[in-house]
Amino acid sequence: MSVWAILVAAGRGERLGLEQPKAFAKLGEDPLLAEPLRRLDECEWIDALVVVAPPGWEEPAILLAEELGCAKVSECVAGGATRTDSVRAGLAAVPEDALVVLVHDAARPFVSDEVVGRVLAPLSEGWDGAIPGLPVPDTLKRVDGDGAVRETVSRDGLWAVQTPQAFLADALRRAYARAGDATDCAALVEAAGGRVKVVEGDPRLLKVTTTADLERVASWL
Ligand code: C5P
C-alpha cells in the first residue's frame, strides 16, 4: 500500500511572539520544521511526503528539505487560514492512488517510527482512521470567564489526542469534501461517519505552543 504523509506547518505560532512563523523558530541549530521533516522522511512506513508551508515560505521549506536530503518530499504547497484549510491544500497534492494518508503537525517535532506503526496498524483491521492519545490524568473542571467553577467533568474515558493521525485515503477525502472546521482531522472523519480508533500516544509528541514548550523540546535533542 502507498502511504503518503502530509506535514502541516502553516501555523503562524503567534504565542511564540517571533517574526517568523512557528515552523521556522529555532530548535537547536535548525528550524523547528527540520526535525519532523527528517523523521518522517526517514520513516520506513512512509512512501512520500507533502509539506504545507506558511504562504510565502514554500521556497525556504523546499530548500530546507533539499539541505536535509529528504528524498521523499514530493511537493510543498501553501497553507490556508485554518488548520483544516491547510490539510485540505495538502490533500489536493496527494495522488488519487494513495491508499493511506497520515497527517502530522510540524509543531510536534518528536514523531517516532513506533507511533507511526501504531496508527497504521488498525487501518488493515477495518478502521477508517487511527490516532494517538493519552488518557487525561488531571481532574477536569468547566470554568466560567471569571474563574468560577461551573462543574467538575468526569475524566472517565477522556483522552487527549495527538498527531500523527492515519486514515484510509478515501475516508479522509470524503471528510474533507464536506464543509466544516475542526482542530484535528479525526473530528471531520468522525462527523462523516468514519470509525476512528485511539492507540497509545507519546508524551514526547508535545505540541510546541509557547517558548517554554520550545525549550522543553530542545532539551530532548
Ligand atoms: O495552531 P495549532 O498549534 O493547533 O496548529 C497545529 C498544526 O497545524 C501546526 O503544525 C501548524 O503549523 C498547523 N497549522 C497549519 N495551518 C494553519 C494553522 C495551523 O498548517 N492555518
Side-chain angles (χ1 to χ4, degrees):
M1 68 179 185
S2 74
V3 178
W4 279 66
I6 300 174
L7 182 58
V8 282
R12 286 211 297 272
E14 274 160 3
R15 276 167 289 185
L16 282 181
L18 300 172
E19 300 242 307
Q20 71 269 44
K22 177 156 68 182
F24 289 88
K26 274 270 182 277
L27 178 66
E29 296 290 297
D30 290 319
L32 172 69
L33 176 60
E35 191 68 26
L37 187 54
R38 192 178 49 73
R39 285 169 172 257
L40 292 180
D41 194 80
E42 284 174 3
C43 176
E44 59 171 318
W45 310 100
I46 292 169
D47 297 307
L49 260 164
V50 173
V51 179
V52 184
W57 288 77
E58 300 92 316
E59 195 68 33
I62 288 174
L63 287 176
L64 178 66
E66 283 174 5
E67 256 172 52
L68 296 170
C70 294
K72 294 182 189 168
V73 176
S74 142
E75 212 174 316
C76 179
V77 300
T82 64
R83 185 185 186 279
T84 304
D85 292 335
S86 294
V87 173
R88 194 175 276 118
L91 199 51
V94 172
E96 284 300 321
D97 62 0
L99 283 183
V100 167
V101 179
L102 183 126
V103 183
H104 184 61
D105 293 337
R108 302 179 193 272
F110 276 77
V111 56
S112 67
D113 286 2
E114 288 77 15
V115 81
V116 171
R118 286 204 288 275
V119 292
L120 290 178
L123 302 184
S124 46
E125 296 161 4
W127 297 88
D128 296 304
I131 64 180
L134 296 171
V136 175
D138 298 316
T139 299
L140 298 174
K141 309 274 184 197
R142 195 176 308 281
V143 180
D144 285 337
D146 64 357
V149 172
R150 211 175 339 138
E151 59 169 331
T152 300
V153 181
S154 167
R155 68 183 174 207
D156 199 31
L158 287 187
W159 291 65
V161 304
Q162 305 169 319
T163 72
Q165 301 191 343
F167 304 94
L168 296 178
D170 286 349
L172 190 64
R173 285 193 205 278
R174 268 198 306 278
Y176 275 82
R178 296 156 50 106
D181 189 33
T183 49
D184 79 343
C185 301
L188 296 178
V189 172
E190 294 153 29
R195 288 179 72 236
V196 177
K197 181 177 184 174
V198 174
V199 299
E200 186 194 347
D202 185 343
R204 289 203 168 207
L205 283 169
L206 172 79
K207 184 167 76 171
V208 171
T209 306
T210 62
T211 310
D213 298 332
L214 198 56
E215 284 165 8
R216 182 137 174 243
V217 168
S219 75
W220 299 337
L221 280 172

